[in-house]
Amino acid sequence: MKNYYIIDFDSTFTQVEALDELARISLENHPDRDQIYQQIEDYTNLAMEGKISFRESLTGRVQLLNANKSHLDKLVTHLKKKVSRSFGRNKEFFKKHQDTALIVSGGFKEFITPVVTPYYIQKENIYANTFKFDKEGNIIGYDENNPLSDEGGKVKLLNELKLDGRIFGIGDGYSDFQLKESGLIEKFFAFTENISRKSVTDKADHITPSFDEFLYVNDLPRAISYPKNRILCLIVGDVPEIAVHILKRDGFSVRVKDTFEDKYTKDIGLLLLADGIRIDDEQLSQADKLKTIGYLGDIKGYVNKNICTEKGIVVFDDKKYKKRNAEFIPKRMADFINNGDTYMSRNFPNLILPRLTQAHRLLHIHKNVPGIMAQINNVYAENDINIISQFLMTKGEIGYAVTDIHIAYDRNVLKQLKQIDNTIKFRILYK
C-alpha cells in the first residue's frame, strides 16, 4: 500500500502567507497600505482558525490585492528565499517520493508551481487555485469552480482524487485539520515551524515543529539523523538576545532561565552560560545527553573542564568576550551539532570539517589510547563499508575520529562502533 503525503504551502512549505506577501509588493506605494495589510492578515488568520469560511477569506483578500502579473514575478523570487528551513534541507525526500508527495493549497498555482518544482514535486501533483486576469494582466478574481476555492475544499479535492493508500496530512491551518476530521487521511501533523495555532494543534495527531520531525517519527529518509527540535538547549543567565536567536533559528528547543534548574540536567543537549554562571560537578556528572557547553567568558573556575572531557562534552568559551561578539559561541556550538566542527574548542582538538553531502558522518569520541583507530577501521572493513573521507585528531586525553561513509550500510555497524573499548560518545550525522 502506497503512502501519500498531502502538504500545505503557506506557512508550511514556505515560512510566510503568500497572499500577505503579494499585498506587501502590490500595495507598496498605496497611501493606505498599512490598513489594507492588516485587513488581509485578519482574513488569513480568521480562516486558518476556522472562524470564517475559506471562500469569504479568499474573496476578501483577492479583492484587496490590487496586483498584476509583474507583482507575481516579484513574489515568486521572494518566496523562493522563504522556503521553510526544514523543507529546504530535505530535497532528497521529495526526489524519492515525487510520485506520492502532493502540494494541496488554497493558494495559487501561479506562485506555488515555480517555488515547489525545484524540489522534485511534479506539476500534476500540485493542487491549488488559479487567478483570473484582465487584458492588462491585472488580477481580477479566481476560478470559483475550483473546489479549493470553497469551504472544505481540500476535503472535496481528496474525495475526487480517490487516492488508494495511506494518507498523511501536514499543515498549519484549520483546512488541513478538516482532512483528518473527514476521515480521509490517517494522521494529521500540525506543522509549527513558522506559526502555531492552538485551535489546530489541540486537534492534531502529532505536533511537528519541523519537517525533520515528521520524517523522523515516520522513519522516512531525511537530511539529519535526529530532529533538532528534540534537542534541548538550556540558556542560563544574562545572555544577549542575538545568542538566543541564533540557537532558536537553528531549530533547537530553547529554554532560557536565570539559574540552572536540576530538572533539566538529564535532558539537556546544549548548555549556553552567561559569564559568572557556575555549574557544580554533580550536575555536570549527571548530564549524560549533554554534547556541548558554550560559555560567554572564561570558563575556568565555573565549569569543571576535566569532567566535560571525561564525558565527551565539547567546551567553547571566549576569554575576551564582549556582548557585541555574542554570536561567536552559539555559532560554534551549532557548527558542532550540525557538522561536527570543534574549531576553537577549549578541550577538544580543533577540527573544521568539510560540509557533508550525500553521506553519513560518524563521530567517535574516545579516550586517547593506542589502537582505537585500528578497531574502528576493522569494524568498517569487516562490514565492507566504503569510506569517503576520514579525520582523526587528538588532544590530551581525548581522541576525535570522524568518518564519512556512503549511506548504504548495515545498521549493526553503529552498534559495533559504540561497543569499542574506551568509547566515550558516538553520534551520527545524516546528509
Side-chain angles (χ1 to χ4, degrees):
M1 184 179 287
K2 282 186 178 181
N3 287 348
Y4 289 91
Y5 308 99
I6 307 299
I7 302 168
D8 185 35
F9 182 76
D10 294 293
S11 294
T12 299
F13 195 92
T14 59
Q15 301 169 31
V16 294
E17 292 287 328
L19 286 185
D20 295 358
E21 299 303 304
L22 178 56
R24 297 187 192 286
I25 293 168
S26 64
L27 299 169
E28 184 179 8
N29 298 315
H30 196 288
D32 298 322
R33 60 183 179 276
D34 291 338
Q35 181 182 346
I36 300 174
Y37 292 161
Q38 190 59 55
Q39 286 180 273
I40 290 173
E41 287 183 11
D42 289 344
Y43 273 125
T44 299
N45 290 325
L46 287 170
M48 289 299 100
E49 292 166 7
K51 294 178 179 177
I52 62 173
S53 73
F54 182 77
R55 174 156 287 188
E56 184 181 353
S57 169
L58 187 63
T59 301
R61 286 180 288 166
V62 170
Q63 287 176 347
L64 291 167
L65 282 175
N66 193 31
N68 57 47
K69 288 183 177 179
S70 68
H71 295 135
L72 287 173
D73 292 338
K74 291 180 181 178
L75 175 65
V76 168
T77 300
H78 176 63
L79 292 178
K80 285 182 175 180
K81 299 174 185 176
K82 291 292 183 178
V83 171
S84 295
R85 287 171 176 268
S86 62
F87 278 96
R89 60 177 164 259
N90 280 292
K91 268 190 177 184
E92 195 64 24
F93 167 81
F94 293 106
K95 188 175 184 180
K96 290 182 178 179
H97 294 85
Q98 54 187 290
D99 292 334
T100 55
L102 285 67
I103 298 293
V104 178
S105 171
F108 290 81
K109 282 188 177 182
E110 285 85 355
F111 54 74
I112 293 175
T113 300
V115 173
V116 302
T117 48
Y119 291 82
Y120 304 103
I121 294 170
Q122 299 179 17
K123 288 183 179 180
E124 57 267 30
N125 285 344
I126 300 168
Y127 296 90
N129 287 298
T130 53
F131 286 120
K132 288 182 179 178
F133 301 92
D134 64 17
K135 293 179 180 179
E136 285 72 44
N138 297 308
I139 295 172
I140 56 173
Y142 57 88
D143 178 6
E144 295 182 7
N145 294 318
N146 187 323
L148 288 169
S149 70
D150 204 357
E151 178 64 22
K154 293 186 179 183
V155 173
K156 293 176 184 177
L157 175 71
L158 250 65
N159 275 319
E160 291 178 7
L161 292 178
K162 300 186 185 306
L163 299 175
D164 184 19
R166 300 167 70 225
I167 306 174
F168 300 89
I170 311 160
D172 66 287
Y174 182 73
S175 63
D176 303 298
F177 167 71
Q178 286 178 323
L179 292 173
K180 172 66 178 179
E181 202 172 36
S182 70
L184 288 169
I185 66 174
E186 185 160 316
K187 282 188 178 180
F188 168 59
F189 291 79
F191 187 80
T192 60
E193 183 172 326
N194 304 306
I195 188 169
S196 178
R197 307 179 198 275
K198 192 173 187 301
S199 59
V200 178
T201 57
D202 283 351
K203 299 174 182 178
D205 293 303
H206 190 90
I207 297 172
T208 178
S210 68
F211 192 51
D212 306 302
E213 171 77 6
F214 171 81
L215 298 175
Y216 177 79
V217 298
N218 290 294
D219 197 24
L220 292 164
R222 55 194 181 272
I224 60 176
S225 53
Y226 193 72
K228 284 184 280 187
N229 57 268
R230 288 179 173 238
I231 301 175
L232 176 60
C233 174
L234 185 62
I235 297 176
V236 184
D238 184 18
V239 172
E241 185 57 39
I242 183 62
V244 178
H245 172 73
I246 287 169
L247 295 168
K248 280 184 177 178
R249 182 187 62 192
D250 212 68
F252 300 108
S253 177
V254 174
R255 302 286 187 279
V256 182
K257 299 293 178 180
D258 293 329
T259 59
F260 188 103
E261 299 176 22
D262 285 338
K263 67 179 181 180
Y264 293 113
T265 303
K266 293 183 178 180
D267 294 321
I268 51 173
L270 294 84
L271 180 60
L272 178 61
L273 304 172
D275 197 9
I277 298 294
R278 189 184 308 277
I279 303 299
D280 67 46
D281 292 357
E282 185 177 355
Q283 288 174 318
L284 195 57
S285 297
Q286 294 176 359
D288 294 332
K289 294 182 180 179
L290 186 55
K291 299 169 182 64
T292 179
I293 294 177
Y295 198 87
L296 301 181
D298 187 346
I299 203 167
K300 187 175 181 180
Y302 294 98
V303 178
N304 191 320
K305 190 180 70 171
N306 292 330
I307 293 177
C308 291
T309 302
E310 289 169 6
K311 293 181 72 65
I313 300 167
V314 181
V315 174
F316 298 97
D317 70 350
D318 186 356
K319 294 180 181 180
K320 298 180 180 179
Y321 167 73
K322 289 181 172 45
K323 284 193 176 182
R324 64 176 179 272
N325 298 325
E327 300 178 33
F328 176 76
I329 294 297
K331 283 182 177 178
R332 296 279 74 74
M333 296 168 69
D335 283 346
F336 172 66
I337 297 296
N338 296 334
N339 203 54
D341 295 354
T342 53
Y343 175 64
M344 298 294 285
S345 163
R346 173 64 85 90
N347 62 333
F348 264 57
N350 284 327
L351 194 57
I352 300 178
L353 299 163
R355 290 296 164 189
L356 189 59
T357 56
Q358 300 301 311
H360 287 184
R361 175 165 290 168
L362 311 185
L363 310 178
H364 193 277
I365 301 170
H366 52 267
K367 293 179 182 178
N368 185 17
V369 296
I372 296 290
M373 280 308 296
Q375 293 182 65
I376 289 173
N377 285 330
N378 189 50
V379 170
Y380 294 139
E382 288 179 349
N383 289 277
D384 296 320
I385 299 296
N386 188 0
I387 296 176
I388 299 171
S389 57
Q390 192 170 53
F391 310 86
L392 169 68
M393 288 191 74
T394 62
K395 182 177 180 179
E397 299 175 358
I398 281 285
Y400 185 41
V402 179
T403 309
D404 292 349
I405 65 175
H406 285 296
I407 60 178
Y409 57 88
D410 188 330
R411 305 292 289 183
N412 192 49
V413 170
L414 309 180
K415 184 178 179 181
Q416 293 176 41
L417 290 167
K418 292 176 185 178
Q419 292 175 340
I420 290 174
D421 290 342
N422 295 301
T423 297
I424 297 173
K425 264 193 175 129
F426 176 83
R427 194 158 64 93
I428 178 171
L429 304 179
Y430 290 3
K431 201 68 175 179

